[in-house]
Amino acid sequence: MQAISGVNLSIVLRSAISLTGALVLMGLTSARLMGVILVLISGGGCTADSVRTSGARLVARFAGPHRDTSGLAGETLNAIQTVQAFTLEELQSERYGQAVEGSFVAAVRRTRVRAMLTALGVALVFGGITFVLWLGARQVLAVP
């Protein structure tokens, strides 16, 4: 525990110092670009939070009633004598098969949603970087 917290703490401190230094140097070089970067970072944070919560809701909705196939199997196995007494093996096997198939379909949907959200996030990050580089290049070309 101590090793993990020590490593994480050093990474956080290093990142914070790097970010502070980068913002100071950017402010000295171009206050306008620093302002744009700060706006993009704050907007990205808000967007990431809303995407994360809406993505979690979407994933939960896709999971549906097929979340716990192991619970269904455990319930059936715990009552195996009753299942056998009423010759319900075929029915229980079919129920479990449907639950597994439903879980698979839900997992595929969740994976697709997460992939789309990841692609959207990457596109927004690279779009922001491209925008800042474009603004910087225009400022360099505008210098007499």
Side-chain angles (χ1 to χ4, degrees):
M1 188 69 171
Q2 183 181 3
I4 292 172
S5 64
V7 169
N8 287 340
L9 183 62
S10 70
I11 290 172
V12 168
L13 286 174
R14 182 179 57 198
S15 297
I17 291 170
S18 295
L19 178 65
T20 304
L23 287 175
V24 167
L25 289 175
M26 180 67 79
L28 293 174
T29 306
S30 173
R32 179 178 174 207
L33 283 180
M34 184 185 75
V36 168
I37 287 175
L38 289 175
V39 167
L40 288 175
I41 288 173
S42 64
C46 294
T47 303
D49 286 342
S50 69
V51 165
R52 190 177 306 117
T53 56
S54 65
R57 266 188 269 124
L58 212 58
V59 165
R61 191 186 77 183
F62 282 141
H66 307 289
R67 281 185 225 154
D68 194 17
T69 54
S70 62
L72 180 62
E75 174 185 308
T76 302
L77 290 174
N78 284 334
I80 194 68
Q81 291 176 343
T82 306
V83 169
Q84 288 174 342
F86 290 101
T87 61
L88 297 174
E89 294 94 340
E90 186 67 33
L91 174 68
Q92 294 301 323
S93 177
E94 194 174 302
R95 278 183 61 206
Y96 183 72
Q98 289 173 352
V100 169
E101 185 66 30
S103 294
F104 177 74
V105 168
V108 169
R109 286 181 181 163
R110 279 192 305 264
T111 303
R112 285 186 181 149
V113 167
R114 286 184 179 158
M116 285 187 282
L117 292 176
T118 301
L120 176 67
V122 168
L124 288 174
V125 166
F126 280 113
I129 290 170
T130 303
F131 180 66
V132 169
L133 289 174
W134 178 74
L135 283 177
R138 287 195 52 186
Q139 283 183 351
V140 167
L141 291 175
V143 172

